[in-house]
Amino acid sequence: MKSRLWQTFLVVLVVYSAWSSPFELAFKNAATGGLLPVDLVVDAFFAIDIILTFFVAYLDKSTYLLVEEHNKIAFRYISHLWFPMDVASTLPFQTINRIVTGKMNRGPVFGFLNLLRLWRLRRVSEFFSRLEKDTRFSYFWTRYCKLICVTLFAVHSAGCFYFWLATRYHNSEDTWIGKNIPDFKTKSIWQGYTYSMYWSITTLATVGYGDLYAVNTEEKVFTIFYMLFNIGLTAYLIGNMTNLIVHTAVRTFAMRDAINKILSYTSKNRIPEGLKEQMLAHLTLKFKTAELQQEQVLEDLPKAIRSGISKHLFRTTLENTYLFKGVSEDFIIQLVSEIKAEYFPPKVDIVIQNEIPTDFYIVVSGAVDVITYKNGTEQFLSKLGSQEMFGDIGVIFNIPQPFTVRSKRLSQVVRISHHHFKQLVQPLKEDGKIILANFVQHLKGLKMEELAEMPLVSEFLDDLDSEEATVIEAGTQDQAGEAQQENIIPTTTPVLSNTLPTRVIIHGYHPDNRRTNKGGNAGKLIHLPDSVEDLLSIAETKFGKRGTIIVMADGSQVEDLAALREDDHLYIF
């Protein structure tokens, strides 16, 4: 902090040096008069800064490590151009000459030596570069001030050099200022400075009233080079100002252009008004929440940092969602790093009925409506709020999405990929069982109107109740009932199948009789038990008769249940 304040203080002194150096060249009396004590004080501060530089650590650009060893700091400073130039721009040559010779020399040599102080201007450039990167200050006004400073310095320097040319010309009346003020050398310093600045500004602005103009050859040559310089300076100023103005409006221009394209597209294709409004609302929200879009902000950050940010923002939401209640902390940490955050404006369909399930969602903020379509008409089923989930039934059962889910107001949701979710659950069997139990409990709590729209879920719950009843009945007859009940936790889809025992489909007839039994004795999806006897007992409960032989679809007899795979068809007769 102290170093930053010291550097800022030196910038103020540099501004003075940038003004005084050309001024003292043009007006010699100022250099040996009232400004001399001020120059000595300023030079003293820069001499102190040279000493302090030997003790200031620097960043090694090859290793990006902070170097604090005094030997390396001193060697680096002395071996670069900075040290000799800093010394040359700090030495008070006028005062040293006066001490040595005892006389005050007013020759042009010392005026040009004073111009070495302009080396200090690099500090001003570094100062503005630092301010441009500092988010506490407006980038527009920082750049604007920099352009103003560049312009003022150019005008001031040109005016001083032009006046200096007039003072050293052999016939003072045959100069640009001598035509108007014959005895200008005897006039006050500030009158000459005013005329110089007036000429410089009118020439820079290409106004040129003709009252002050180049007379002799030297002045004409200088004016030619100054006007050429003005062409570049003007282009620099206009280019920077244009960029600043366009930069502030570029988002607005982009948004207007995108809206015009949507309006043109909807008009040519006769898009319904409702869809048109949804398109415009989504586009408007995209621009309004651009700074909140997680992917755009975090895409360049390392995964560890992205995971930490997601954990901070969404961990509580995941832990309070029904599906993940009671799971391990390790599972939550892994899952939170894979989620994607999105914003949706009001009345936008997030999930569409009958679409292929690829993701499921959790509401972080806002609200959504669950809707179904019957005979072409919408029917409202329920409303979901913060920390509630949707799209999960389609993903876990691996069936087309049973409902349409539409945002009710501006909503933020996190999206969980089916693929990533499956990869996380497979190695964590205990968490898989907890998730499955939570899911089954959630299904049991669904409204009858919702279950009526999902025949597969209703059938699944009916089979679940039958299996639980079988286990309870077996438990009353057998001490192994508890073990069987644990084994009859239903599996839903391949998403969780690798974490729990295998599912199979059983039939109560010989595989050669498939055509004659079609529709009369449909297959039943069950959870594969541990033994053949348990499998035969389940089949008896399902079909009402006791079988003794178990064969596969190809007629081969089953001898070892461990060899069976997910969704195998077993025929028991």
Side-chain angles (χ1 to χ4, degrees):
M1 183 64 181
K2 292 181 180 180
S3 175
R4 186 61 56 86
L5 291 175
W6 173 254
Q7 294 297 328
T8 305
F9 172 67
L10 290 181
V11 168
V12 177
L13 300 184
V14 170
V15 172
Y16 166 77
S17 298
W19 174 84
S20 65
S21 298
F23 185 81
E24 291 175 359
L25 173 66
F27 305 97
K28 301 173 184 177
N29 293 335
T32 57
L35 294 182
L36 183 59
V38 180
D39 289 342
L40 293 175
V41 172
V42 172
D43 290 339
F45 278 111
F46 280 103
I48 295 173
D49 183 66
I50 291 176
I51 298 173
L52 293 177
T53 305
F54 283 94
F55 302 95
V56 177
Y58 68 92
L59 188 68
D60 190 338
K61 293 183 178 180
S62 61
T63 62
Y64 289 93
L65 297 176
L66 194 65
V67 178
E68 298 179 341
E69 300 177 22
H70 294 306
N71 293 337
K72 292 184 179 180
I73 296 172
F75 177 77
R76 175 177 178 269
Y77 185 39
I78 294 174
S79 61
H80 283 71
L81 181 64
W82 302 335
F83 177 70
M85 289 301 297
D86 284 347
V87 172
S89 63
T90 303
L91 289 176
F93 295 102
Q94 192 95 357
T95 303
I96 294 174
N97 179 74
R98 184 175 183 179
I99 294 173
V100 174
T101 63
K103 298 178 181 180
M104 179 62 72
N105 192 320
R106 302 189 181 211
V109 175
F110 293 101
F112 281 103
L113 288 175
N114 284 340
L115 293 180
L116 291 173
R117 298 173 186 168
L118 297 180
W119 164 257
R120 301 168 183 172
L121 283 174
R122 61 187 177 83
R123 296 178 182 270
V124 178
S125 178
E126 294 171 356
F127 174 74
F128 276 109
S129 296
R130 189 168 68 245
L131 289 184
E132 289 172 2
K133 298 173 184 176
D134 195 330
T135 56
R136 295 174 298 176
F137 301 96
S138 168
Y139 178 80
F140 176 86
W141 289 111
T142 301
R143 292 284 296 176
Y144 183 78
C145 291
K146 181 179 180 179
L147 295 176
I148 293 296
C149 291
V150 170
T151 305
L152 291 177
F153 176 70
V155 168
H156 168 73
S157 300
C160 291
F161 279 114
Y162 204 47
F163 188 85
W164 175 78
L165 286 175
T167 59
R168 64 182 299 275
Y169 197 69
H170 61 276
N171 184 4
S172 62
E173 294 183 1
D174 194 20
T175 61
W176 66 274
I177 191 172
K179 287 287 185 180
N180 294 275
I181 309 175
D183 55 344
F184 69 91
K185 293 182 179 179
T186 62
K187 298 296 183 178
S188 68
I189 292 175
W190 297 111
Q191 185 181 23
Y193 183 67
T194 302
Y195 270 77
S196 301
M197 293 297 291
Y198 172 76
W199 169 85
S200 184
I201 291 174
T202 55
T203 305
L204 175 67
T206 67
V207 176
Y209 295 111
D211 49 351
L212 297 176
Y213 56 90
V215 177
N216 56 65
T217 304
E218 292 181 0
E219 291 175 351
K220 290 179 180 180
V221 171
F222 178 81
T223 303
I224 289 172
F225 281 103
Y226 181 51
M227 287 190 289
L228 290 174
F229 168 77
N230 287 343
I231 294 175
L233 179 61
T234 303
Y236 171 75
L237 295 175
I238 293 175
N240 275 270
M241 291 303 298
T242 302
N243 284 336
L244 288 176
I245 294 172
V246 170
H247 178 74
T248 58
V250 66
R251 281 173 46 80
T252 302
F253 290 151
M255 180 177 176
R256 289 173 61 88
D257 184 59
I259 289 176
N260 287 333
K261 288 180 180 179
I262 288 180
L263 293 176
S264 176
Y265 177 83
T266 54
S267 176
K268 290 180 180 179
N269 293 277
R270 299 180 181 179
I271 302 298
E273 193 66 23
L275 287 176
K276 173 183 172 182
E277 291 180 359
Q278 288 187 26
M279 294 169 67
L280 292 174
H282 179 76
L283 179 65
T284 303
L285 180 67
K286 176 182 176 181
F287 279 93
K288 287 183 178 180
T289 61
E291 70 279 3
L292 298 177
Q293 295 300 322
Q294 185 184 19
E295 291 305 304
Q296 297 178 10
V297 175
L298 305 182
E299 60 183 0
D300 294 329
L301 296 176
K303 184 175 181 180
I305 297 178
R306 296 200 306 267
S307 177
I309 294 173
S310 297
K311 180 180 176 181
H312 169 74
L313 294 175
F314 306 119
R315 177 173 178 174
T316 302
T317 300
L318 290 181
E319 290 177 336
N320 293 330
T321 302
Y322 86 86
L323 193 62
F324 306 122
K325 286 184 177 180
V327 299
S328 66
E329 182 177 358
D330 182 51
F331 178 84
I332 292 292
I333 292 174
Q334 292 184 58
L335 179 63
V336 79
S337 64
E338 300 292 345
I339 61 177
K340 311 294 182 183
E342 297 180 7
Y343 285 88
F344 291 92
K347 300 180 180 180
V348 170
D349 291 343
I350 305 173
V351 171
I352 301 176
Q353 187 173 348
N354 295 323
E355 72 175 352
I356 298 175
T358 57
D359 308 278
F360 57 97
Y361 303 81
I362 301 174
V363 181
V364 179
S365 61
V368 297
D369 290 333
V370 179
I371 299 169
T372 188
Y373 290 89
K374 278 189 176 181
N375 300 323
T377 60
E378 290 186 1
Q379 289 188 2
F380 172 81
L381 293 178
S382 63
K383 173 185 174 182
L384 302 178
S386 177
Q387 299 179 352
E388 293 189 278
M389 180 179 290
F390 60 91
D392 48 321
I393 294 177
V395 169
I396 295 180
F397 274 102
N398 198 22
I399 60 174
Q401 292 290 3
F403 307 117
T404 291
V405 181
R406 181 177 300 159
S407 57
K408 191 175 182 66
R409 55 178 182 268
L410 176 62
S411 303
Q412 183 189 26
V413 302
V414 291
R415 173 165 50 90
I416 302 174
S417 167
H418 162 268
H419 175 68
H420 288 144
F421 179 65
K422 179 179 179 180
Q423 286 185 326
L424 288 177
V425 172
Q426 284 179 355
L428 303 174
K429 295 186 178 181
E430 293 301 320
D431 288 325
K433 292 180 180 180
I434 294 173
I435 291 172
L436 188 55
N438 291 338
F439 180 66
V440 171
Q441 192 64 32
H442 171 72
L443 293 180
K444 292 180 178 179
L446 292 176
K447 297 178 181 179
M448 294 302 299
E449 296 87 350
E450 294 177 304
L451 289 175
E453 300 299 322
M454 299 181 290
L456 179 63
V457 176
S458 299
E459 182 181 347
F460 167 78
L461 292 176
D462 291 341
D463 290 344
L464 174 64
D465 292 337
S466 298
E467 291 178 9
E468 289 180 346
T470 301
V471 171
I472 293 173
E473 182 180 353
T476 60
Q477 304 172 0
D478 188 287
Q479 295 298 322
E482 184 178 351
Q484 291 179 355
Q485 185 175 5
E486 291 179 356
N487 195 41
I488 307 293
I489 298 176
T491 305
T492 53
T493 68
V495 175
L496 300 175
S497 62
N498 290 341
T499 66
L500 296 171
T502 308
R503 293 181 316 168
V504 294
I505 300 171
I506 59 174
H507 304 269
Y509 53 85
H510 192 279
D512 293 339
N513 299 331
R514 275 177 285 189
R515 290 186 178 182
T516 59
N517 283 278
K518 185 176 182 181
N521 192 355
K524 299 295 183 179
L525 182 67
I526 67 166
H527 196 276
L528 187 65
D530 293 332
S531 65
V532 173
E533 287 299 321
D534 292 336
L535 178 58
L536 294 176
S537 298
I538 294 173
E540 184 179 4
T541 303
K542 295 290 185 182
F543 304 122
K545 60 180 181 178
R546 182 76 177 184
T548 57
I549 300 175
I550 305 172
V551 298
M552 302 287 288
D554 59 1
S556 60
Q557 189 167 346
V558 175
E559 298 179 355
D560 185 7
L561 297 185
L564 298 177
R565 295 293 179 263
E566 183 77 15
D567 294 330
D568 277 348
H569 288 258
L570 304 181
Y571 296 84
I572 303 173
F573 56 93

